[in-house]
């Protein structure tokens, strides 16, 4: 994925869900903890370079839900900010119902961060108190595949906003998608 081409995206979106293929960590990883053994990854600099494309496809009032990697949380937030968004909070915490070896504690959760477009507002179709929990407990399936309920929860909060999933792995009703696996 050295060439990032989003020219086929013609619409603008109020909701962007992104699961970037983060390239991070040392060279000593095994195939079980290195994403580049499963799919092409992008450096933080390559992901940041997508800023003009992300700006082109996002409405003024736009939210970004972005999956992050905990060991590089600060740099993940910097990528979201380089795309023209301000970090707000952790939207979702996914407990994967298993643990992987970590440097300090066993890694068993992933975070989905929430950002708001700089100088923008929250999309107007926001449902107040939609009853969507931050915590998700779903078993892991395919490497790095995120729980489908996240999209459902976002739809529950923003039912009519135009939505796109970046770095998507599958097509889903109600969502446009972009990625090299769809």
């Amino acid at each position: 994925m050295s060439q990032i081409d989003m020219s086929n995206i013609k619409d603008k979106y109020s909701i962007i869900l992104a699961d970037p293929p983060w390239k991070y960590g040392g060279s000593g990883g095994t195939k079980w903890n290195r994403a580049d053994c499963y799919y092409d990854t992008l450096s933080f600099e390559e992901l940041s370079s997508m800023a003009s494309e992300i700006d082109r496809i996002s409405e003024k009032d736009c939210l970004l839900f972005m999956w992050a990697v905990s060991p590089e949380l600060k740099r993940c937030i910097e990528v979201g900010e380089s795309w023209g968004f301000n970090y707000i909070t952790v939207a979702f915490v996914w407990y994967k119902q298993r643990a992987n070896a970590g440097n300090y504690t066993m890694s068993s959760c992933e975070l989905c961060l929430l950002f708001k477009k700089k100088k923008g507002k929250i999309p107007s179709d926001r449902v107040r108190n939609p009853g969507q929990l931050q915590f998700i407990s779903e078993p892991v399936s395919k490497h790095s595949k995120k729980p489908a309920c996240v999209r459902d929860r976002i739809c529950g909060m923003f039912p009519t906003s135009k939505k796109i999933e970046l770095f998507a792995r599958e097509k889903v009703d109600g969502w446009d998608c972009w990625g090299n696996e769809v």
Side-chain angles (χ1 to χ4, degrees):
M1 228 195 233
S2 59
Q3 195 76 4
I4 301 166
D5 181 11
M6 297 176 70
S7 62
N8 63 327
I9 302 174
K10 305 297 183 202
D11 291 332
K12 286 191 171 273
Y13 300 89
S14 297
I15 301 293
I16 298 173
L17 172 61
D19 184 13
W22 305 104
K23 181 178 216 150
Y24 72 99
S27 59
T30 69
K31 80 177 222 170
W32 303 113
N33 65 7
R34 288 189 49 212
D36 58 359
C37 292
Y38 297 93
Y39 46 78
D40 292 336
T41 57
L42 295 170
S43 69
F44 291 94
E45 293 76 22
E46 289 172 307
L47 289 163
S48 292
S49 75
M50 297 175 64
S52 63
E53 288 295 305
I54 300 297
D55 186 58
R56 183 181 61 77
I57 69 167
S58 60
E59 293 282 1
K60 181 182 177 218
D61 298 339
C62 182
L63 295 179
L64 167 66
F65 292 82
M66 184 174 70
W67 288 98
V69 289
S70 294
E72 296 286 356
L73 191 55
K74 183 176 186 270
R75 291 180 77 189
C76 295
I77 291 171
E78 289 169 355
V79 168
E81 290 173 344
S82 76
W83 288 357
F85 292 81
N86 289 322
Y87 172 72
I88 298 174
T89 190
V90 173
F92 302 107
V93 177
W94 173 33
Y95 169 57
K96 300 189 280 185
Q97 300 181 0
R98 75 162 196 219
N100 295 324
N103 290 325
Y104 301 95
T105 59
M106 299 292 285
S107 173
S108 61
C109 293
E110 287 195 39
L111 303 176
C112 183
L113 308 178
L114 179 60
F115 298 79
K116 183 177 71 66
K117 184 88 172 196
K118 292 177 183 172
K119 299 182 182 175
K121 298 176 183 171
I122 294 173
S124 61
D125 67 328
R126 175 184 182 190
V127 174
R128 299 225 181 252
N129 295 323
Q132 305 300 335
L133 294 176
Q134 182 184 55
F135 186 76
I136 297 166
S137 181
E138 294 277 333
V140 173
S141 61
K142 182 178 175 184
H143 178 81
S144 192
K145 183 177 179 180
K146 304 307 186 273
C149 68
V150 167
R151 287 186 297 267
D152 297 337
R153 290 179 185 197
I154 293 170
C155 288
M157 292 186 281
F158 300 93
T160 61
S161 285
K162 188 145 179 71
K163 302 168 187 69
I164 188 168
E165 183 174 356
L166 303 180
F167 309 103
R169 294 175 163 225
E170 60 189 345
K171 293 181 180 184
V172 177
D173 286 343
W175 289 78
D176 289 349
C177 61
W178 175 84
N180 67 357
E181 292 190 25
V182 290

